[in-house]
Amino acid sequence: MTTATTTDLVRIGAKLYAVNPEVIDLDDVIPLFHGWIQQRVLDGVPIDVADYAHVPDGPGVMLIGHEADRSLDLAGGRPGVLYQRKRDGSGDLPERFAASIAAADRLAADVEADPLGHGVRFDRDEILIVVPDRLRVDNDDAALEELREAVTAALATTRPGRTAELTRVTDDPGGPLRIRVRLT
Amino acid sequence: MSTTEWRERLLERMPPELAEEIDIFEGQMELRRKGKIEDRVFAETRLRRGVYGQRYDNGHRHDGLASRELVYPAGDLTKGPETLWDAPGMVRIKVPYGGITPEQLDVIAELAEEYSDSILHITTRQDVQLHYVHIDDTPDLMRRLASVDITTREACGNGVRNLTACPLAGVCHTEAFDTTAYAAALFRFLLGHPDCQDFGRKFKPAFSGCAGEACGLVMMHDFGAIARTSIVDGVERRSFDLYVGGGLGTTPHQAKLLYEDHPVEELLPAVQSIARVFGRLGEKANRNRARIKFLVAKLGIDEFRRLVDEERKVLPHDDRWTSYLPSVEDYTESPVREAVPAPANGAPLPDGYREWLRTNVYRQRQPGYAVATVALPLGDLSSTQTRQLADVARKYVGDAVRTTVEQNIVLRWVAEGDLPALYEDLVAIDLAAPGAGTIVDVTSCPGTDTCKLGIASSRGLAGELRTRLAAKQFELDEAVRGLRIKVSGCFNSCGQHHVADIGFFGNSRKINGVTVPHFQVVLGGRWRENAGSYGLAIGSVPSKRIPEVVDAITTRFVTEREGEESFQDWIARLGKKELGAMIGELKTVPPVDEDPSFYTDWGDARVFTMGDMGIGECAGEVISSTDLELTMAESIAFDAQVALEDGDLARADERAYAAMVAGARALVRTEHPNVPDDPDTIVREFRTRFYDTERFFDRFAKGRFARPLFDRHEAGSPAEHQDEATRSLVEESQLFIDAVHAMEIREAGAQSALV
């Protein structure tokens, strides 16, 4: 019998929230993402752009990839960039958390730098970590405690010298584990 | 925390037969990875499990400049002809008659989050689709569905697809009787039925409670049943009018009446007889002519009926034909809330409530209760919304939830007094949009977003039309508000454009040497009367001009309508020539340097290309049922090997024996399609037909490969499993299956030599 554990976690997402979401034009995010595929500037295998802007508080506009999805995400009513790893993670668990946070940082920087971002800025002092893997992680406080060490270690490499407060987001009990990270 | 895998975690919650099917499919996947299952056979195998291909899965995508290769880690490994293993695909989840529970919604929401893109897509046949799913995730996805009694089996491929029915069944004012229990019985009966495994194409059934409304759209289905009642000796008697041979696609056919006033107890055997005729005589080689509508047209309905009658006479009796009937009369849906009257006139009401009430609420025939439609933009809702909607359903209606062919979800048995509170709860989760069933509620297939066959962006156009129409919906003339718009990305009609008042399907035109996305305009289809007639194609218009087409048609309809003239009658009165002239001016395309927007499609920044189209999988692969059964036997044998490696000798022994029985059954069914599914009969028939006649005999080994089957069958499961003996049986099971294949090849060779 195979046993799945938290150390096997690969589906790790990281979201950074927009400071000025009012400037975002989702219609322009579509050509922005298509352009990245065209210019081949992304790691991994980017596949296509999916437009879910019509779904309130949904995934927004997504750049679907083989290893990971990137999106201008509208979930929770707070637009932001979300990097969601899906497979082929490498390294140990702290390294995998760090990789997703770093990828979200890069995604934010790339959108900020593009004219089609219309000057949007993303907050690096708040990170939403999303772990959609119910086989390995329940959405409860015990899971947060179990992952606290790995997330803290990941933050030590991606946000060195900062103090992090980790809390579990509890507004959707049926949803995946989500950890809010506030940095001071 | 540590957990076992989903298989172990859910073992007690899955129906055993579903659990085994999924194990077998997982084994087939492993065999395909090792190159031990032929590409085409595996493609049909996964299709029959609801695992479908998606656009770009041939490993190429046009990025707007050129077609680029998508280089995946699994390299050239394929899961079907020109379909890369790693390329994401779609999983279609069957929702028979649209009935779905809050618990099931919760699970599908979880699956959307973990394996897909956090979106549930409701289809025009009441299914739920998840997109961008990796095939490696599909066994666990299926197990989690099975744990809440959902299957993806035969959601795609050349089998019986989802069974659709009116979402108002049981609560509507015009139905003869509630068809739900009959639909459920037929769904269960046909799922995996041996007589439905050898079709040349898909077979879509539908139920309707009455002839006059749209209901189950029977007239556009391969098979359909319309409920009726009559009084016999003072007692109400239920029956069905059975229709066959309808279909849309490139050549739409209206279904033909096969049997009028057919007794309910004959429903299941009638469909079984139809399936046998279709399986035997339907086209296999040319898939463009393989739907049952072509067979009915070729034979004529009278000859088709005669063949079905003959088939019925020789059908071996099946208790399931009638065993469900005693419980049919007892079938009811119970409200979870007491009927309380609607708010009295003058009572304060939430903002927007009146409009929502007018378009989204249907008063049931049961006093004090109503059906509320949750209108979904493009049939989509997020996983979070799905969970929230499930909670809303629990609060107001319990399990009384159904998906609709207009890509919405209905909550049935809402106490009328709860409607304002329900509306406010829906507002809170952004699911209270008004306009359900009106011109705003545009239906669309996935089109170029994800479908390999898509030519133009049906979802892009539908979204644009919805946005524009929603902005002015309260100013629209009432005659226009009631119209329906449906969009397909190609001529295959998944968006059901033929039965819309205003329909569109994607195509393209070369303009000055450049390909420009277009939509063919189809007007005057009849939604009512079970999709009673199909629309008239009047010409192709550039995609970016379609909103102008809608404006022109609706404006003119309001202006020229005579009295209460229907849209269909107005279209007929104008005629094709006049209609063509109406859109003629809108056919022009400006030069690319003047307006480049015409050369891209809605919602897609890339220059339009046809280069991303692939070979569609809706037609499946024509694979013999013998090949499919042998593939299953191989998978069971593989499972036996895995069990042996794990040291689980009891399971290895049982699986090895089951694999041999499955192989023998595949062979027996080539001559005896109705062989009962018990090992005694299968082994006896195998011995009589193939062993005693020496047809199974190898030139050198003679009948030796059959001996282990006979020995194990006669001896039964050993009291104590010995490692060596079990290992030997596992090896023999694979040799037996190889010998079945060899016999097939020998006999096929002998046949071809005779030709």
Side-chain angles (χ1 to χ4, degrees):
Chain A
M1 186 186 292
T2 318
T3 300
T5 67
T6 50
T7 54
D8 306 323
L9 275 175
V10 171
R11 293 190 179 101
I12 296 169
K15 179 175 178 177
L16 300 175
Y17 294 105
V19 177
N20 52 345
E22 65 282 357
V23 304
I24 296 171
D25 183 343
L26 287 174
D27 284 346
D28 281 344
V29 176
I30 296 168
L32 171 61
F33 283 174
H34 276 294
W36 288 355
I37 298 175
Q38 199 177 74
Q39 295 147 31
R40 304 200 233 181
V41 295
L42 299 168
D43 298 331
V45 186
I47 298 168
D48 197 22
V49 179
D51 176 10
Y52 294 121
H54 54 278
V55 179
D57 295 352
V61 177
M62 303 179 76
L63 200 168
I64 305 286
H66 170 70
E67 303 86 354
D69 295 334
R70 298 162 173 87
S71 56
L72 200 313
D73 178 70
L74 308 176
R78 294 181 66 192
V81 285
L82 170 65
Y83 175 89
Q84 181 62 59
R85 192 78 188 182
K86 297 191 289 192
R87 61 181 54 82
D88 299 349
S90 58
D92 60 16
L93 189 58
E95 286 170 328
R96 274 178 260 138
F97 275 110
S100 285
I101 294 167
D105 285 342
R106 181 185 162 185
L107 177 58
D110 289 346
V111 175
E112 287 170 341
D114 199 292
L116 292 173
H118 301 293
V120 66
R121 292 281 172 268
F122 297 98
D123 184 358
R124 271 66 167 185
D125 293 340
E126 182 181 0
I127 308 169
L128 182 74
I129 290 177
V130 190
V131 190
D133 187 342
R134 291 167 179 84
L135 181 66
R136 294 168 179 83
V137 172
D138 291 328
N139 182 4
D140 59 19
D141 288 339
L144 169 61
E145 291 315 311
E146 192 174 357
L147 295 176
R148 183 180 294 277
E149 190 180 333
V151 175
T152 304
L155 291 165
T157 59
T158 56
R159 299 288 190 277
R162 309 290 301 278
T163 303
E165 181 197 9
L166 274 57
T167 54
R168 186 169 68 88
V169 181
T170 57
D171 61 356
D172 183 10
L177 176 70
R178 287 174 298 150
I179 302 168
R180 191 173 307 289
V181 178
R182 291 186 195 278
L183 295 136
T184 52
Chain B
M1 180 187 70
S2 73
T3 68
T4 54
E5 298 290 352
W6 283 117
R7 184 177 180 278
E8 284 75 33
R9 191 190 275 203
L10 299 174
L11 205 53
E12 299 302 311
R13 288 163 53 188
M14 290 186 283
E17 68 282 3
L18 265 184
E20 179 164 2
E21 280 177 13
I22 297 163
D23 287 349
I24 288 169
F25 177 62
E26 195 165 37
Q28 289 166 322
M29 284 171 57
E30 187 56 30
L31 289 171
R32 177 61 209 141
R33 283 192 200 96
K34 294 172 186 286
K36 292 184 176 178
I37 294 183
E38 193 197 337
D39 230 2
R40 287 174 59 253
V41 175
F42 183 75
E44 183 63 14
T45 299
R46 69 172 161 79
L47 285 166
R48 292 192 187 196
R49 295 271 162 246
V51 181
Y52 213 85
Q54 244 183 246
R55 207 169 178 86
Y56 318 123
D57 64 10
N58 60 357
H60 291 88
R61 176 184 180 274
H62 201 285
D63 66 8
L65 296 175
S67 183
R68 311 275 188 201
E69 190 177 358
L70 301 170
V71 183
Y72 289 106
D76 294 336
L77 178 64
T78 55
K79 53 191 172 190
E82 293 182 40
T83 308
L84 293 177
W85 188 266
D86 271 338
M90 175 265 279
V91 172
R92 184 176 291 150
I93 297 163
K94 265 181 159 174
V95 185
Y97 59 86
I100 197 161
T101 67
E103 184 190 22
Q104 292 172 331
L105 285 169
D106 281 342
V107 168
I108 300 174
E110 291 178 5
L111 302 179
E113 270 159 354
E114 294 185 36
Y115 307 128
S116 176
D117 53 11
S118 297
I119 290 287
L120 285 77
H121 176 70
I122 311 298
T123 77
T124 54
R125 296 202 71 257
Q126 295 176 289
D127 294 299
V128 179
Q129 286 181 184
L130 303 179
H131 292 97
Y132 304 107
V133 179
H134 195 288
I135 190 169
D136 288 349
D137 291 328
T138 56
D140 279 347
L141 184 151
M142 291 173 192
R143 289 183 179 109
R144 294 167 76 176
L145 288 172
S147 74
V148 287
D149 207 24
I150 295 179
T151 182
T152 61
R153 182 166 186 182
E154 290 158 3
C156 313
N158 298 325
V160 181
R161 300 294 187 84
N162 194 35
L163 188 153
T164 57
C166 175
L168 299 179
V171 301
C172 104
H173 292 268
T174 58
E175 70 183 7
F177 57 86
D178 184 354
T179 60
T180 304
Y182 300 94
L186 183 65
F187 175 81
R188 285 192 303 270
F189 179 70
L190 294 179
L191 190 68
H193 196 289
D195 287 337
C196 300
Q197 304 306 305
D198 249 340
F199 295 165
R201 279 299 299 273
K202 56 193 170 186
F203 183 87
K204 296 177 176 178
F207 271 78
S208 220
C210 74
E213 299 298 326
C215 295
L217 308 174
V218 158
M219 302 309 291
M220 58 176 237
H221 276 81
D222 298 274
F223 166 80
I226 299 180
R228 60 186 291 171
T229 54
S230 53
I231 303 297
V232 179
D233 299 331
V235 179
E236 185 184 83
R237 172 182 166 276
R238 292 178 171 189
S239 62
F240 287 106
D241 288 344
L242 302 187
Y243 287 83
V244 69
L248 299 180
T250 49
T251 47
H253 290 225
Q254 284 271 298
K256 307 290 183 294
L257 181 63
L258 180 69
Y259 294 125
E260 196 170 8
D261 198 19
H262 207 57
V264 291
E265 57 271 19
E266 278 294 310
L267 171 68
L268 270 53
V271 183
Q272 188 180 348
S273 304
I274 292 166
R276 284 182 161 214
V277 173
F278 179 45
R280 195 173 71 247
L281 300 177
E283 173 67 39
K284 300 283 201 305
N286 178 1
R287 65 188 196 170
N288 293 323
R289 308 280 302 171
R291 292 287 289 273
I292 199 170
K293 64 186 177 184
F294 295 108
L295 181 63
V296 172
K298 183 173 123 185
L299 298 172
I301 189 64
D302 293 336
E303 173 61 6
F304 187 86
R305 185 182 301 112
R306 187 188 69 76
L307 291 165
V308 173
D309 288 344
E310 289 300 311
E311 203 63 56
R312 174 66 187 91
K313 287 175 194 165
V314 298
L315 276 186
H317 177 78
D318 190 329
D319 287 343
R320 293 176 301 166
W321 290 343
T322 53
S323 59
Y324 73 97
L325 287 171
S327 60
V328 160
E329 300 279 352
D330 302 332
Y331 172 81
T332 55
E333 244 176 0
S334 305
V336 297
R337 309 263 294 179
E338 266 186 53
V340 284
N345 285 341
L349 294 169
D351 283 349
Y353 173 75
R354 284 189 193 283
E355 189 50 42
W356 175 82
L357 185 73
R358 197 161 78 91
T359 55
N360 294 44
V361 174
Y362 172 92
R363 287 198 156 70
Q364 294 182 192
R365 73 166 182 267
Q366 295 85 359
Y369 289 98
V371 177
T373 299
V374 177
L376 302 174
L378 306 183
D380 293 343
L381 72 169
S382 72
S383 52
T384 305
Q385 282 180 314
T386 304
R387 266 191 298 277
Q388 292 167 327
L389 182 62
D391 287 342
V392 168
R394 286 185 184 96
K395 180 175 173 183
Y396 294 103
V397 302
D399 288 349
V401 183
R402 295 199 188 185
T403 58
T404 82
V405 296
E406 299 202 85
Q407 301 180 290
N408 294 323
I409 290 177
V410 295
L411 306 178
R412 301 146 52 94
W413 293 98
V414 181
E416 288 188 14
D418 285 337
L419 284 167
L422 168 66
Y423 171 74
E424 289 190 300
D425 284 351
L426 291 174
V427 167
I429 59 175
D430 288 305
L431 288 175
T438 72
I439 195 166
V440 175
D441 196 7
V442 183
T443 305
S444 167
C445 70
T448 51
D449 280 16
T450 52
C451 177
K452 293 201 266 192
L453 294 168
I455 297 172
S457 177
S458 47
R459 276 168 61 91
L461 174 61
E464 183 68 22
L465 292 175
R466 186 183 180 98
T467 301
R468 292 183 188 217
L469 290 163
K472 58 182 181 183
Q473 64 177 310
F474 304 128
E475 302 140 36
L476 291 170
D477 187 277
E478 203 54 39
V480 168
R481 288 192 81 196
L483 300 179
R484 281 177 164 82
I485 297 178
K486 297 183 184 295
V487 191
S488 300
C490 72
F491 42 72
N492 280 301
S493 315
C494 296
Q496 302 174 345
H497 57 264
H498 290 291
V499 295
D501 298 289
I502 303 173
F504 303 103
F505 71 85
N507 57 21
S508 66
R509 293 285 184 273
K510 275 267 195 236
I511 310 287
N512 300 324
V514 184
T515 312
V516 178
H518 278 59
F519 279 92
Q520 177 69 235
V521 182
V522 180
L523 298 178
R526 191 177 300 278
W527 181 247
R528 287 174 50 85
E529 295 163 19
N530 280 286
S533 62
Y534 301 150
L536 192 69
I538 63 163
S540 208
V541 174
S543 181
K544 290 297 172 74
R545 284 233 152 105
I546 293 295
E548 295 172 74
V549 170
V550 173
D551 285 345
I553 291 167
T554 52
T555 302
R556 192 159 165 186
F557 174 51
V558 170
T559 308
E560 296 183 0
R561 188 184 186 206
E562 294 176 353
E564 291 301 299
E565 186 177 33
S566 72
F567 187 77
Q568 285 69 25
D569 290 346
W570 176 70
I571 291 292
R573 180 159 63 84
L574 252 63
K576 193 161 180 167
K577 191 174 174 186
E578 183 60 30
L579 291 165
M582 180 168 47
I583 62 166
E585 288 177 17
L586 299 172
K587 291 184 174 182
T588 56
V589 177
V592 67
D593 54 351
E594 194 179 304
D595 190 348
S597 73
F598 275 76
Y599 298 82
T600 61
D601 212 339
W602 295 105
D604 194 336
R606 296 169 295 168
V607 169
F608 182 75
T609 175
M610 298 275 287
D612 285 328
M613 287 179 68
I615 297 164
E617 292 189 334
C618 56
E621 295 284 347
V622 180
I623 306 295
S624 77
S625 56
T626 312
D627 283 344
L628 287 169
E629 285 194 55
L630 284 174
T631 302
M632 189 183 294
E634 298 245 22
S635 176
I636 300 170
F638 181 77
D639 206 11
Q641 291 161 18
V642 172
L644 189 67
E645 279 176 22
D646 289 348
D648 189 345
L649 298 184
R651 181 170 168 80
D653 171 84
E654 181 274 325
R655 294 282 77 194
Y657 168 62
M660 290 190 285
V661 172
R665 186 185 59 189
L667 216 45
V668 171
R669 284 198 57 234
T670 60
E671 298 186 350
H672 181 13
N674 300 314
V675 64
D677 208 10
D678 73 279
D680 285 344
T681 311
I682 290 165
V683 172
R684 188 178 62 248
E685 291 287 340
F686 169 76
R687 184 191 287 272
T688 306
R689 291 168 187 273
F690 302 104
Y691 187 83
D692 294 345
T693 58
E694 299 190 0
R695 290 167 63 192
F696 185 75
F697 281 32
D698 176 88
R699 185 176 163 192
F700 302 105
K702 304 297 181 201
R704 124 157 182 47
F705 295 121
R707 292 294 342 156
L709 169 63
F710 297 148
D711 293 346
R712 171 62 176 78
H713 180 70
E714 283 155 22
S717 181
E720 248 184 82
H721 293 92
Q722 303 297 327
D723 184 77
E724 197 174 334
T726 308
R727 188 174 299 277
S728 169
L729 188 71
V730 169
E731 286 169 5
E732 290 290 356
S733 71
Q734 187 58 58
L735 291 170
F736 176 81
I737 292 164
D738 290 343
V740 173
H741 277 297
M743 192 204 108
E744 266 219 307
I745 291 163
R746 275 198 312 275
E747 298 218 335
Q751 287 290 332
S752 59
L754 293 171
V755 174

